[in-house]
Amino acid sequence: MDHDAHLRKKFANVKHQRVKADETFAPTIEDETLEHLLAEPKNDGVTVDGGLDSNTAQGGGDELELGVLDGLLDEVEEVEDLHAADGLASPCEDFLLEFSFSGKACGLDYGPRGRSHSRNASSESQSPGLSGSSNSAVGISESSSVTIQESECKNESLDKTGTELRGTFRHKKKRKTQVRGSMCPASLDLQTPKQLDDDDDDPLLSSMLVKKYEKNSDEASKAGGSRREKRLRRPTQRYIEEVSDKKSKHHKGERKFTSIDVTGIKDRQLKVRSHAELNSIGPGMLSLVPEEELLNGTKIQVVSETRPRRGRPKKQISIVPPKRNEELLTSESDEDRVIRKRSDTHDRRKHQRMWTISEVTKLVDGISEYGVGRWTDIKRLLFASSAYRTPIDLRDKWRNLLRASSVQKLKKKEVEEKQSHAMRPLPKSLIRRVRELAKIHPYPRERGQKSIGQ
DNA sequence: TTTAGGG
DNA sequence: CCCTAAA
């Protein structure tokens, strides 16, 4: 209860500051996003464990800092993208991540001797894919609980566990702890500051911590008071999310917590992360953005979502806000919205972002200026504001443009046919430019590209 | 880490 | 879009 209030206040603070920072540069910030992020943990995570709280709060801290940085950078849109893409983990993502795993571990832990996981049991029986994961999860949860129980003192146990785990599952990549560290103090006054610097965002560790807390509280109030109810919610919600998620997508044998072993740690993290990502656009996270006007004038409602690129998020905090194409950059905010196709059929293409003409124009501009192959440069200079377009995306788009233009050059009939059907009407000017560029810059291995030249 | 190529 | 190999 106290925590709740405290946390609330903290978040409010964070929010204010962040908004303030951003406002200067972009008045149209979507508070919704933040709102969600704040709302989520407030309802569920605050109850028992310090793990979640501190973590979410930590995320908030990150957000604040990044918000400022972004403000210096340029647009708002990038704010959210950066958070996610950067691996610094938006609070929401972090929370979900924790939540998912802890929920699992918790349910499993209490399963054998408690009745709190009736939902889980049913879930397990329903989807065999889950049951497979449960075994491993049990394994780890058990081992972890042993470790925890051995030491009495909370902090010590936390620390100990932390170090032990760290020693064992050392992360390959070093996280960007500098940034983190600098802002940790801001959110340090929460409980269990140890976790903040100790276990960062390691889902495994955190989950263990969480579980420990839960165990304590549970055993303290054995008869199950209000806490039990709240704790019970965890597996439930997780169950719902997971099942709904899995139902819609027959994930290609992607087992989330199956690989608990040391080697699979990293992998699992990734999976979990993506899972959280999926969830982040769930019912609660849906934020309707204005709309995108397609070329044909049709207006459709789209869903804005941050897609953290796993590849190379690469937060470019360089102080090179491209002055050259500012109009393009700024005009993008209201035009280039995302079209998320929730085609659950194809595992890929999950995150599809329609390329708008302005984007294509920018791309072509960039290519013509910097040359084909300088994707990172183009991205940095012309697509700095759109974090979702990676250099690879640009390259891919260019590839497609080449194909399209060549096709249009070669067979006119087919072109029109295709245009009317699948293909979007690409402005002739653009096509012309693409063609010109295609002539100038050789793009190897592109079907008969050389012969199409004059 | 970035590009190129393939899926 | 995603993944991977090569540079």
Side-chain angles (χ1 to χ4, degrees), chain A residues 307-325:
Chain A
R307 177 170 66 93
R309 306 284 302 181
R310 335 119 302 157
R312 29 203 138 62
K314 183 165 189 183
K315 170 177 55 179
Q316 308 248 14
I317 306 215
S318 54
I319 318 154
V320 219
K323 291 288 176 185
R324 8 186 334 130
N325 296 286

Side-chain angles (χ1 to χ4, degrees), chain A residues 288-311:
Chain A
L288 263 54
V289 294
E291 58 230 314
E292 157 154 347
E293 32 210 63
L294 283 186
L295 311 148
N296 48 19
T298 314
K299 297 203 169 181
I300 58 178
Q301 291 213 315
V302 294
V303 188
S304 152
E305 187 251 350
T306 63
R307 177 170 66 93
R309 306 284 302 181
R310 335 119 302 157

Side-chain angles (χ1 to χ4, degrees), chain A residues 69-115:
Chain A
L69 287 176
D70 287 330
L72 293 176
L73 249 184
D74 37 27
E75 302 208 24
V76 209
E77 180 114 7
E78 183 137 25
V79 175
E80 45 171 335
D81 282 346
L82 271 185
H83 298 155
D86 176 42
L88 280 185
S90 68
C92 163
E93 186 176 340
D94 243 4
F95 168 74
L96 284 174
L97 192 141
E98 307 289 344
F99 177 77
S100 298
F101 192 78
S102 66
K104 193 74 175 179
C106 161
L108 289 167
D109 187 42
Y110 286 100
R113 58 177 185 219
R115 74 276 191 188

Side-chain angles (χ1 to χ4, degrees), chain A residues 235-246:
Chain A
T236 303
Q237 182 163 340
R238 190 226 186 290
Y239 159 74
I240 291 173
E241 287 171 356
E242 188 155 340
V243 166
S244 65
D245 216 61
K246 304 224 155 152

Side-chain angles (χ1 to χ4, degrees), chain A residues 146-326:
Chain A
V146 168
T147 307
I148 291 172
Q149 282 171 342
E150 273 173 2
S151 45
E152 286 298 82
C153 173
K154 264 181 194 161
N155 281 336
E156 253 190 40
S157 72
L158 293 183
D159 229 285
K160 193 176 175 185
T161 315
T163 41
E164 279 178 8
L165 277 172
R166 277 207 173 303
T168 316
F169 317 113
R170 196 170 267 296
H171 285 174
K172 271 124 198 172
K173 299 179 180 177
K174 11 178 135 177
R175 328 279 306 197
K176 321 193 173 178
T177 34
Q178 306 97 343
V179 187
R180 247 209 162 73
S182 66
M183 67 198 51
C184 266
S187 52
L188 253 184
D189 47 319
L190 287 175
Q191 61 281 70
T192 65
K194 274 242 149 81
Q195 299 175 30
L196 283 180
D197 46 313
D198 201 22
D199 67 326
D200 289 6
D201 40 24
D202 187 342
L204 172 61
L205 241 176
S206 305
S207 70
M208 285 169 56
L209 296 175
V210 169
K211 195 172 71 57
K212 174 191 181 319
Y213 273 83
E214 285 172 353
K215 187 183 285 273
N216 284 346
S217 68
D218 181 71
E219 282 170 2
S221 55
K222 191 89 175 212
S226 56
R227 285 184 184 250
R228 171 167 285 287
E229 257 185 66
K230 299 214 170 165
R231 187 173 57 69
L232 219 155
R233 287 193 55 194
R234 260 199 254 286
T236 303
Q237 182 163 340
R238 190 226 186 290
Y239 159 74
I240 291 173
E241 287 171 356
E242 188 155 340
V243 166
S244 65
D245 216 61
K246 304 224 155 152
K247 256 185 187 168
S248 53
K249 326 177 182 312
H250 47 287
H251 49 111
K252 43 185 179 184
E254 135 186 338
R255 58 272 191 261
K256 238 156 287 285
F257 306 108
T258 308
S259 51
I260 284 299
D261 55 306
V262 185
T263 58
I265 273 284
K266 191 180 168 189
D267 183 65
R268 195 193 82 252
Q269 246 175 295
L270 288 180
K271 297 296 186 188
V272 175
R273 224 155 239 281
S274 64
H275 182 60
E277 175 190 350
L278 285 176
N279 286 336
S280 70
I281 57 170
M285 286 315 204
L286 276 182
S287 67
L288 263 54
V289 294
E291 58 230 314
E292 157 154 347
E293 32 210 63
L294 283 186
L295 311 148
N296 48 19
T298 314
K299 297 203 169 181
I300 58 178
Q301 291 213 315
V302 294
V303 188
S304 152
E305 187 251 350
T306 63
R307 177 170 66 93
R309 306 284 302 181
R310 335 119 302 157
R312 29 203 138 62
K314 183 165 189 183
K315 170 177 55 179
Q316 308 248 14
I317 306 215
S318 54
I319 318 154
V320 219
K323 291 288 176 185
R324 8 186 334 130
N325 296 286
E326 242 163 353

Side-chain angles (χ1 to χ4, degrees), chain A residues 425-437:
Chain A
L426 210 56
K428 304 251 171 184
S429 57
L430 273 181
I431 295 180
R432 281 188 51 78
R433 299 190 60 185
V434 171
R435 259 172 50 194
E436 298 300 318
L437 286 175

